[in-house]
Amino acid sequence: MADTGSIQGQVLNQRDNQPIAGASAQLSGEGVEQNATSGSDGRFKIDGLAPGSYDLVLQQEGFYDGTYGPLMVFPGDTTSITVALQPKDI
C-alpha cells in the first residue's frame, strides 16, 4: 500500500552496543497508537502508518525509558531509527 509508511528500528544497550531483545516500542501520533516488541536482534517494525509525525517510547526492564520524535512517516517509505537505551545501575 503506497499510501502508508513504516517505522523500523533497532534497540541497543548503550553500555556495550549489544541488541536488546523484548524491548517495548510504543508509537503514538496521527490519532493512532501501536505497539511492537523487539526481536532477538533488537529490531522492530511497525507497518501501515498514515503519513505524518509520530513519537516513539522504548522501554525495557533494567533500562531507562527512551523517548524519540518527532519521527516523520512518508507514503511508501520506511523511516529507520537506531537507539541506545541506558542501563540502570543496580
Side-chain angles (χ1 to χ4, degrees):
M1 295 187 348
D3 58 341
T4 63
S6 304
I7 290 179
Q8 69 180 9
Q10 186 174 30
V11 187
L12 303 174
N13 182 328
Q14 187 181 61
R15 185 168 290 148
D16 60 12
N17 231 21
Q18 293 298 305
I20 299 175
S24 169
Q26 301 168 344
L27 189 71
S28 61
E30 300 303 313
V32 300
E33 289 190 20
Q34 291 196 31
N35 298 317
T37 303
S38 63
S40 60
D41 59 358
R43 296 185 187 279
F44 66 91
K45 187 171 183 182
I46 301 172
D47 292 313
L49 299 172
S53 175
Y54 293 85
D55 291 315
L56 178 66
V57 176
L58 293 164
Q59 299 175 311
Q60 173 67 337
E61 188 174 335
F63 292 84
Y64 291 103
D65 293 354
T67 303
Y68 306 91
L71 301 174
M72 297 303 298
V73 171
F74 299 97
D77 199 8
T78 299
T79 300
S80 296
I81 183 172
T82 300
V83 298
L85 295 181
Q86 180 182 356
K88 293 180 179 177
D89 292 324
I90 299 173

